[in-house]
């Protein structure tokens, strides 16, 4: 596998912390530098795409913006493979004894830590180190002596220069002036439609939020430290640029996010202001595509975001800003920590069992684990590679807030004692090719992990009339927003959708998804005679990509309450006209706007065109 003579760079003076390293062995310092060089190459490209996003947004080049965001997802794996290839080429590792290999890789890790003393992305570099090492080493080495099972460098109080956020002081300067300075500092090189109008609208929205008790709850007194803290760089996603920050007033912290959009003439305008933790939780949800944001010190951004997203783990925040591999690392650390401090067992996830996936969960942990079955029975016409390709499609596609993101893992070892006997039997029956079970452990060779949600079919079965009406409204909106993003769900049964903590409906079963543009939406042909009409078989030719929306009512609308809510909100989904109209817009290159907040929050819906000069403006 590896070629070349053993190398030693005498000038390296490798740091070994008492570990004896044979000078004829490969240099641990050189290997550590090669890995860090690979990471630095990755992060340089990662930041460059985020920096490009600003210019693409200013030019309204949405197609290129989506392409850059999609391409960036693969950057990490590409750089890992390059680093692995470099080490295999430049260092002779095959001829090492077990003792030499142990000593070498311990020294490599220690040299790597030494290189991170002044590094601005040490936590991400450690994850990159793990990714490289796990491709070079047997899993027996997946322990803290050799890789970063625990972090080696602290990131508390880490920041960039200039700092990651700016502070503004409305008590001294006035809220209007502070808002104007925030907009100026955003640095967008585009004309504004009417910036003074937008500032007045923001002020009016803040006053309304205070009066309604939605934000800035009473009693409200301005404290000496009253300030607006705004992250220095904009967050870009789809057609929006977001100013993200917080209001600090004594012990109270209020989150703030301001989406800036472009109108048809290319002029900028503020679309709304988000002022609650729940609104920002949707903005940074696991159901959306990753933000493009330029971060020299990502730990500083994540720490800031944690302060305004209570309850959202760092793993999901790192993922939402595009650092999905770091998110995976933190998720796994959190998960192992939870396993150590809990005693419940893994069990089959609630809901109707699927034909494609075996799904289980740990009741005390809010995630599900999904394994592709070895045999996928009729009527499903797919296999493991095709299902994996569908999940990769979702990973790369704009999820528009309606498809759950997943973390994909391999070689996951879990304690057998934590599995219920019934689940072990199910795994051996349905997933034997990717599961290895011994007396102590369960090794899963491939698994998807995603946020646990309440299956929509279970939610509807116990919903009140108002809850059901809202859920069906959300269900149809989810389908329509996916269609706007060129995604047809395929199997639209309620069991394939979930209800989130914030009562949003999200799609999570991907084995039958298709691009809208690949589907043919047809009207059922009129039967030519009575025998055809009464036949159990279709009397007309059907291609694999033909869809007949009017037939879906038989599967979706058997419940009287559901039928009434569906017809009220989304009767158009049962007509080919709706689907073909959406499809034609996509074919013509039209990029739909899908917003991560309710339409009623948008300023154009809340405020009339009447000038707001009369508003109370602090």
């Amino acid at each position: 596998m590896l070629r070349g003579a053993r190398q030693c760079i005498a000038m390296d003076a490798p740091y070994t912390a008492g570990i004896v390293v044979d000078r004829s062995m490969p240099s641990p310092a050189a290997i550590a530098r090669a890995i860090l060089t690979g990471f630095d190459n990755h992060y340089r490209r990662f930041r460059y795409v985020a920096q490009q996003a600003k210019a693409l947004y200013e030019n309204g080049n949405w197609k290129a913006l989506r392409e850059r965001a999609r391409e960036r997802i693969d950057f990490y794996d590409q750089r890992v493979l390059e680093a692995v290839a470099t080490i295999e080429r430049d260092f002779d590792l095959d001829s090492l004894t077990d003792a030499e290999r142990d000593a070498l890789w311990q020294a490599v890790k220690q040299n790597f830590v030494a290189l991170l003393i002044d590094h601005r992305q040490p936590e991400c570099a450690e994850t990159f180190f793990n990714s490289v090492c796990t491709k070079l080493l047997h899993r027996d080495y997946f322990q803290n002596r050799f890789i970063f099972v625990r972090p080696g460098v602290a990131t508390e109080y880490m920041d960039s220069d200039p700092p990651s956020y700016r502070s503004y002081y409305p008590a001294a300067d006035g809220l209007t002036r502070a808002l104007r300075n925030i907009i100026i500092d955003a640095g967008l090189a585009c004309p504004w439609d009417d910036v003074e109008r937008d500032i007045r609208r923001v002020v009016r929205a803040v006053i309304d939020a205070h009066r309604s008790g939605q934000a800035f709850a009473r009693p409200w007194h301005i404290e000496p430290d009253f300030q607006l803290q705004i992250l220095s760089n904009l967050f870009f996603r789809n057609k929006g640029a977001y100013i993200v920050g917080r209001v600090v007033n004594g012990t109270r912290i209020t989150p703030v996010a301001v989406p800036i959009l472009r109108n048809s003439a290319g002029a900028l305008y503020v679309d709304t202001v988000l002022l609650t933790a729940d609104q920002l939780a949707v903005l940074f949800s696991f159901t959306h595509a990753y933000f493009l944001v330029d971060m020299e010190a990502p730990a500083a951004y994540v720490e800031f975001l944690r302060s305004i997203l209570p309850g959202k783990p760092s793993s999901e925040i790192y993922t939402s800003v595009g650092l999905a591999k770091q998110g995976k690392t933190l998720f796994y650390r959190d998960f192992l920590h939870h396993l150590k401090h809990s005693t419940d067992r893994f069990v089959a996830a609630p809901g109707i069992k699927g034909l494609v996936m075996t799904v289980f969960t740990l009741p005390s942990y809010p995630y599900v684990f999904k394994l592709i079955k070895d045999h996928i029975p009729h009527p499903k016409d797919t296999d493991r590679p095709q299902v994996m390709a569908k999940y990769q499609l979702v990973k790369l596609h704009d999820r528009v807030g309606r498809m759950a993101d997943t973390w994909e893992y391999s070689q996951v070892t879990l304690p057998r004692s934590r599995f219920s006997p019934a689940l072990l039997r199910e795994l051996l029956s349905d997933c034997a090719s990717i599961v290895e079970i011994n007396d102590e452990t369960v090794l899963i060779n491939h698994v998807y992990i995603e946020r646990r949600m309440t299956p929509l079919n279970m939610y509807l079965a116990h919903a009140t009339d108002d809850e059901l009406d809202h859920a069906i409204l959300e269900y149809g909106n989810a389908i329509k927003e996916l269609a706007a993003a060129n995604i047809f769900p395929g199997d639209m049964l309620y069991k394939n959708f979930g209800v989130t903590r914030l009562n949003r409906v999200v799609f999570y079963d991907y084995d039958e998804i298709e691009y809208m543009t690949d589907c043919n939406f047809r009207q059922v042909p009129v039967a030519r005679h009575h025998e055809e009409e009464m036949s159990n078989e279709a009397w007309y030719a059907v291609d694999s990509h033909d869809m007949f929306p009017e037939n879906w009512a038989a599967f979706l609308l058997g419940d009287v309450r559901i039928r009434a809510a569906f017809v009220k909100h989304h009767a158009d989904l049962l007509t080919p006209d709706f689907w073909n109209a959406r499809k034609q817009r996509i074919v013509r290159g039209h990029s739909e706007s899908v917003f991560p907040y309710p339409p009623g929050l948008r300023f154009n819906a809340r405020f009339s065109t009447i000038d707001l000069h009369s508003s109370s403006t602090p």
Side-chain angles (χ1 to χ4, degrees), residues 33-327:
R33 279 204 306 273
I35 296 174
L36 186 59
T37 297
F39 170 75
D40 288 341
N41 287 340
H42 158 66
Y43 203 75
R44 191 180 305 114
R45 289 173 168 86
F46 180 89
R47 287 191 67 187
Y48 178 63
V49 171
Q51 292 160 359
Q52 279 185 309
K54 181 174 180 292
L56 294 173
Y57 171 86
E58 290 167 341
N59 292 321
N61 193 342
W62 313 128
K63 182 174 183 291
L65 193 57
R66 288 195 304 272
E67 289 173 351
R68 296 292 90 75
R70 184 163 50 246
E71 291 166 358
R72 191 185 66 170
I73 293 172
D74 289 332
F75 281 4
Y76 183 93
D77 290 334
Q78 293 167 4
R79 302 293 87 73
V80 167
L81 293 176
E82 289 173 6
V84 169
T86 296
I87 293 169
E88 289 179 335
R89 182 190 68 234
D90 294 345
F91 303 94
D92 177 20
L93 303 178
D94 275 350
S95 57
L96 297 177
T97 66
D98 289 345
E100 288 173 335
R101 187 175 292 106
D102 288 359
L104 173 67
W105 285 102
Q106 287 182 71
V108 170
K109 180 185 174 183
Q110 290 165 350
N111 276 270
F112 194 81
V113 170
L115 293 174
L116 299 181
I117 292 174
D118 295 318
H119 206 277
R120 295 292 173 86
Q121 308 96 35
E123 76 283 21
C124 299
E126 290 175 359
T127 290
F128 190 88
F129 181 94
N130 288 354
S131 297
V132 172
C133 290
T134 53
K135 291 188 178 299
L136 292 168
L137 300 172
H138 187 270
R139 65 172 180 265
D140 289 345
Y141 285 82
F142 299 176
Q143 50 184 291
N144 203 54
R145 283 189 298 156
F146 305 104
I147 66 173
F148 294 95
V149 176
R150 298 189 301 274
V153 177
T155 57
E156 290 83 357
Y157 305 108
M158 177 167 291
D159 209 340
S160 53
D161 189 15
S164 57
Y165 65 87
R166 305 183 184 95
S167 297
Y168 303 83
Y169 303 95
D173 301 331
L175 181 56
T176 297
R177 180 177 295 178
L179 293 174
R180 190 179 295 112
N181 288 336
I182 290 170
I183 289 173
I184 291 170
D185 290 341
L188 287 169
C190 296
W192 279 80
D193 181 46
D194 188 340
V195 70
E196 297 302 324
R197 174 205 63 200
D198 291 345
I199 290 172
R200 292 192 299 272
R201 286 178 166 184
V202 170
V203 171
R204 174 67 176 275
V206 168
I207 293 170
D208 289 349
H210 173 53
R211 288 173 175 167
S212 66
Q214 184 183 40
F216 312 108
R218 295 187 173 106
W220 177 266
H221 305 290
I222 293 179
E223 302 288 347
D225 65 345
F226 178 50
Q227 59 191 286
L228 302 176
Q229 296 175 346
I230 305 297
L231 285 166
S232 298
N233 291 324
L234 293 166
F235 289 66
F236 295 95
R237 186 172 65 202
N238 298 333
K239 297 181 179 181
Y242 296 83
I243 296 171
V244 178
R246 61 194 175 197
V247 180
V248 177
N249 190 52
T251 59
R252 295 182 178 182
I253 294 179
T254 302
V256 178
V258 178
I260 302 172
L261 306 182
R262 288 165 46 98
N263 63 21
S264 57
L268 303 176
Y269 65 96
V270 172
D271 197 44
T272 189
V273 58
L274 308 176
L275 294 166
T276 72
D278 282 352
Q279 289 169 350
L280 266 76
V282 173
L283 182 65
F284 285 88
S285 166
F286 61 90
T287 62
H288 282 288
Y290 308 140
F291 279 110
L292 298 170
V293 54
D294 183 22
M295 305 170 292
E296 183 183 10
Y301 273 70
V302 171
E303 187 63 26
F304 186 103
L305 291 170
R306 283 188 64 196
S307 74
I308 59 176
L309 294 166
K312 187 171 283 291
S314 296
S315 56
E316 291 188 11
I317 298 176
Y318 270 103
T319 301
S320 71
V321 296
L323 295 168
K325 300 297 182 180
Q326 185 62 21

Side-chain angles (χ1 to χ4, degrees), residues 277-282 285-286 309-312 316 366 451-454 459 498-506:
D278 282 352
Q279 289 169 350
L280 266 76
V282 173
S285 166
F286 61 90
L309 294 166
K312 187 171 283 291
E316 291 188 11
R451 266 281 181 178
R452 186 170 65 219
M453 293 171 272
T454 303
Y459 181 91
V499 182
T500 72
R501 175 183 66 86
L502 298 174
N503 291 321
R504 287 174 56 81
V505 171
V506 172

Side-chain angles (χ1 to χ4, degrees), residues 255-451:
V256 178
V258 178
I260 302 172
L261 306 182
R262 288 165 46 98
N263 63 21
S264 57
L268 303 176
Y269 65 96
V270 172
D271 197 44
T272 189
V273 58
L274 308 176
L275 294 166
T276 72
D278 282 352
Q279 289 169 350
L280 266 76
V282 173
L283 182 65
F284 285 88
S285 166
F286 61 90
T287 62
H288 282 288
Y290 308 140
F291 279 110
L292 298 170
V293 54
D294 183 22
M295 305 170 292
E296 183 183 10
Y301 273 70
V302 171
E303 187 63 26
F304 186 103
L305 291 170
R306 283 188 64 196
S307 74
I308 59 176
L309 294 166
K312 187 171 283 291
S314 296
S315 56
E316 291 188 11
I317 298 176
Y318 270 103
T319 301
S320 71
V321 296
L323 295 168
K325 300 297 182 180
Q326 185 62 21
K328 281 182 62 175
T329 294
L330 293 180
F331 171 84
Y332 199 61
R333 287 174 180 163
D334 290 344
F335 175 56
L336 293 178
H337 181 80
H338 181 84
L339 275 181
K340 188 174 182 178
H341 294 85
S342 61
T343 58
D344 56 332
R345 289 183 169 187
F346 293 104
V347 295
I352 300 172
K353 290 187 181 297
L355 298 176
V356 175
M357 292 282 195
T358 291
V359 185
F360 65 90
T361 188
L362 189 67
S364 62
Y365 207 57
Y367 295 87
V368 294
F369 302 75
K370 305 172 71 170
L371 282 65
I372 303 173
K373 294 183 178 181
D374 293 341
H375 174 67
I376 301 172
H378 183 77
K380 297 287 187 179
D381 183 19
T382 188
D383 56 23
R384 186 185 305 278
Q386 291 181 64
V387 174
M388 293 177 67
K390 300 287 189 181
Y391 272 76
Q392 184 64 9
L393 184 158
V394 172
K395 174 69 69 175
L396 298 176
H397 201 79
D398 179 11
R399 292 184 292 280
V400 294
R402 296 299 185 176
M403 290 191 289
D405 193 14
T406 56
W407 285 310
E408 185 177 5
Y409 289 89
S410 58
Q411 302 291 305
V412 176
T413 302
L414 300 171
R416 175 174 177 160
S417 62
R418 299 298 295 273
F419 284 76
S420 70
L423 178 57
L424 287 176
R425 289 192 296 271
E426 184 175 347
L427 292 176
L428 287 173
S429 172
D430 296 340
C431 310
S433 70
I434 57 170
V435 175
E436 300 174 31
I437 301 176
N438 61 34
D439 292 341
E440 300 295 329
T441 64
V442 175
L443 173 65
I444 301 174
N445 289 307
H446 185 260
V447 60
Y448 295 105
I449 302 176
E450 68 185 33
R451 266 281 181 178

